[in-house]
Amino acid sequence: MAKRAAKIGVFIALAMILSYLEAILPLNIGIPGVKLGLSNIVVVVSLYSLTVPETAGISLIRILLMGILFGNAVSLVYSLSGGALSLVGMIICKRLRLSVIGVSIVGAVLHNVAQLAAAVVILQSSAIGYYLPILLISGLVTGFLIGIASDRLIFLEKKLNIQQKP
């Protein structure tokens, strides 16, 4: 039990560190709002090594803490909507036995879709919908990259767990 609690704590800390790094070292590719989503590595890996409630808790705590420490109410709404839809989609895709990379891509795309939907509600304008194709493409690319990293980490974690057993 203590080992599991420690693992969850480490995952939350890693997710926050990766979020913070991404905030201070933004990847500027000329498209406003597009981020790699480094903290999603932690969410994807935890989805494969912890329970769904534990993964949801990690995601929620990271979003809330980062929003309180470095964001505002609007950014918190965007992050919560993106994180929630993304996680639900990833859980479903994992249960459908999509690859880790596929799960990550779906999560990234749904994160962007949810944030765009939140923007439509907050701004009370559907005109921002023109941005959807850009966000879909960026979700595919970033989800693929995060999926590759997550897949390798999941493989390494399984390998280490196998080696540790007597």
Side-chain angles (χ1 to χ4, degrees), residues 46-63:
S46 69
L47 193 58
Y48 285 86
S49 65
L50 297 170
T51 66
V52 167
E54 290 166 339
T55 299
I58 289 166
S59 182
L60 179 63
I61 291 168
R62 190 230 12 123
I63 290 168

Side-chain angles (χ1 to χ4, degrees), residues 21 61-62 73 81 91 100 104 106-107 109 121 125 132 142 161 164:
L21 282 174
I61 291 168
R62 190 230 12 123
S81 62
I91 291 166
V100 173
S104 178
V106 168
V109 168
V121 170
S125 171
L132 183 60
T142 60
N161 284 336
Q164 289 178 0

Side-chain angles (χ1 to χ4, degrees), residues 82 85 108-119 132 135-136:
L85 185 61
V109 168
L110 289 178
H111 193 278
N112 289 347
V113 167
Q115 286 193 328
L116 185 64
L132 183 60
L135 291 177
L136 292 176

Side-chain angles (χ1 to χ4, degrees), residues 4-93:
R4 196 159 191 86
K7 185 175 187 176
I8 292 168
V10 168
F11 275 35
I12 292 168
L14 284 172
M16 289 185 65
I17 290 166
L18 292 172
S19 289
Y20 182 68
L21 282 174
E22 195 164 46
I24 63 171
L25 303 169
L27 175 66
N28 187 355
I29 59 172
I31 304 171
V34 172
K35 296 189 316 183
L36 187 53
L38 293 173
S39 65
N40 292 328
I41 294 170
V42 176
V43 176
V44 173
V45 171
S46 69
L47 193 58
Y48 285 86
S49 65
L50 297 170
T51 66
V52 167
E54 290 166 339
T55 299
I58 289 166
S59 182
L60 179 63
I61 291 168
R62 190 230 12 123
I63 290 168
L64 290 175
L65 288 175
M66 294 306 292
I68 291 166
L69 293 172
F70 304 108
N72 56 44
V74 175
S75 67
L76 193 56
V77 169
Y78 288 141
S79 293
L80 284 170
S81 62
L85 185 61
S86 172
L87 184 59
V88 168
M90 289 191 298
I91 291 166
I92 291 168
C93 289

